[in-house]
Amino acid sequence: QVQLVESGGGLVQAGGSLRLSCAASGRTSSRYTMGWFRQAPGKEREFVAAISWSGLSTSYADSVKGRFTIARDNAKNTVYLQMNSLKPEDTAVYYCARRKQLGYGLPSLTDEYDYWGQGTQVTVSS
């Protein structure tokens, strides 16, 4: 089993920044793509960003491109999401997830991920 625990969420004013962390424990392996997703009230869970196991390849949703940065530290089994220039529409519960399959690829579909954290709330006030 793999456990993922997110932290770093909170309340911030529009234009501000937050840094989310996702710590993995259990039967972890660094050779998996990791992703961040978010879910706002009444909406489906949506893709935010993904990072390859090496950290050399990343992918972002158009809505966050240029504002958010995903990174990982495999020695610490931790994935990060740096969020800058936050907007009220970024308000959501943010989840990290581990891709089902080993190898290359930066999928954006939730079905491609099997282990999920419990989520951390991000609220951006206007």
Side-chain angles (χ1 to χ4, degrees):
Q1 285 289 343
V2 174
Q3 293 79 41
L4 302 175
V5 179
E6 302 96 336
S7 61
L11 173 63
V12 64
Q13 288 188 333
S17 298
L18 283 173
R19 186 197 195 202
L20 306 184
S21 298
C22 171
S25 61
R27 296 184 63 182
T28 60
S29 169
S30 63
R31 299 184 75 84
Y32 285 91
T33 289
M34 296 294 293
W36 283 98
F37 292 76
R38 67 186 182 186
Q39 188 166 18
K43 295 188 176 181
E44 292 188 354
R45 193 167 298 188
E46 65 175 6
F47 172 76
V48 175
I51 186 166
S52 64
W53 66 267
S54 66
L56 295 179
S57 297
T58 58
S59 175
Y60 297 93
D62 288 343
S63 59
V64 306
K65 226 173 259 186
R67 301 188 297 122
F68 291 11
T69 302
I70 188 171
R72 68 190 296 163
D73 184 338
N74 289 336
K76 295 182 179 180
N77 291 322
T78 301
V79 180
Y80 305 96
L81 185 69
Q82 178 66 44
M83 306 186 296
N84 299 329
S85 302
L86 282 161
K87 304 175 182 179
E89 50 263 43
D90 294 319
T91 295
V93 177
Y94 283 71
Y95 300 89
C96 69
R98 195 191 79 170
R99 189 187 179 200
K100 286 180 183 176
Q101 296 179 343
L102 286 167
Y104 298 102
L106 299 168
S108 60
L109 299 179
T110 56
D111 287 350
E112 296 282 344
Y113 296 80
D114 53 1
Y115 288 102
W116 295 81
Q118 83 289 346
T120 186
Q121 176 71 46
V122 172
T123 303
V124 184
S125 63
S126 56

